[in-house]
Amino acid sequence: SALSSAPEYDPDAEFVYDYQTLRIGGLTFVAVIMILSVLLLASNKIRRCGKPRVSALISDNGIQRR
């Protein structure tokens, strides 16, 4: 039939990955995640600086002695 002889249209035929942009974007994403995680961990340590842990407070009050 006439439909089968027509060439198929492939919209992705000329698609090419831009590896340099992908690499830069990926590295930027990883750097942001790492910086945020370090800041989160550091802020938790700074907030608890000088304060005893909750488990130490409970055992010091005699609630959880074994």
Side-chain angles (χ1 to χ4, degrees), residues 8-21:
E8 291 184 21
Y9 175 70
D10 187 10
D12 297 329
E14 296 181 18
F15 181 78
V16 177
Y17 279 108
D18 184 4
Y19 288 105
Q20 186 67 22
T21 304

Side-chain angles (χ1 to χ4, degrees), residues 31-52:
V32 168
I33 295 297
M34 286 181 63
I35 290 170
L36 288 176
S37 64
V38 167
L39 288 175
L40 182 66
L41 290 172
S43 69
N44 193 16
K45 296 245 184 219
I46 291 170
R47 243 185 323 151
R48 293 169 54 135
C49 183
K51 296 179 183 176

